[in-house]
């Protein structure tokens, strides 16, 4: 995607962690980031490792530093302008979506509302 502000940006930290995770996999895989209904506040982020061969033709593909993230066309409007980051804090390490579209989020950061 030529204009990162219109899609999802993957930080260097997230790309590094995704690459580390995928190195242990036997077949080529990618990280799918999607949005589903549910969670504490209406929507929730979902992360799945899928075979690279199972990407869809309308998926948006984001590549950075050897890591590949795909976002389906249904989830993309909820993620416009978001940043996928990996944080390693005292309370734990996790992927974090910094989503400018979210008007509220739960305490754990896995669900949000728009």
């Amino acid at each position: 995607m030529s204009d990162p502000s219109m899609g999802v940006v993957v930080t260097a930290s997230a790309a590094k962690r995704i690459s580390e995770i995928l190195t242990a996999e036997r077949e080529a895989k990618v990280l799918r980031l999607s949005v589903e209904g549910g969670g504490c506040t209406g929507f929730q982020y979902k992360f799945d490792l899928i075979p690279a061969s199972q990407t869809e033709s309308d998926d948006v593909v984001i590549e950075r530093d050897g890591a590949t993230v795909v976002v389906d066309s249904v989830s993309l409007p909820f993620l416009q302008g978001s940043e996928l980051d990996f944080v390693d804090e005292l309370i734990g390490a996790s992927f974090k979506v910094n989503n400018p579209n979210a008007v509220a989020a739960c305490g754990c950061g896995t669900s949000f509302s728009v």
Side-chain angles (χ1 to χ4, degrees):
M1 185 168 287
S2 59
D3 183 0
S5 65
M6 295 303 295
V8 178
V9 174
V10 176
T11 67
S13 177
K16 179 181 176 190
R17 183 63 184 136
I18 293 165
S19 292
E20 291 169 353
I21 292 168
L22 296 180
T23 298
E25 297 294 320
R26 287 190 206 183
E27 66 178 286
K29 291 200 174 179
V30 298
L31 177 73
R32 177 175 292 286
L33 170 60
S34 58
V35 173
E36 295 184 340
C40 305
T41 56
F43 297 99
Q44 60 188 5
Y45 302 112
K46 184 175 179 190
F47 301 93
D48 292 302
L49 293 180
I50 63 166
S53 62
Q54 289 184 4
T55 59
E56 301 295 330
S57 62
D58 62 345
D59 283 342
V60 172
V61 179
I62 305 116
E63 294 179 325
R64 176 159 188 182
D65 303 333
T68 303
V69 176
V70 296
V71 178
D72 63 90
S73 61
V74 174
S75 298
L76 190 59
F78 296 100
L79 296 167
Q80 290 286 333
S82 292
E83 176 186 75
L84 175 60
D85 196 12
F86 181 77
V87 294
D88 192 357
E89 300 171 332
L90 185 59
I91 59 172
S94 64
F95 286 103
K96 180 179 180 185
V97 178
N98 299 311
N99 188 341
N101 305 303
V103 295
C106 68
C108 66
T110 60
S111 66
F112 65 101
S113 63
V114 290

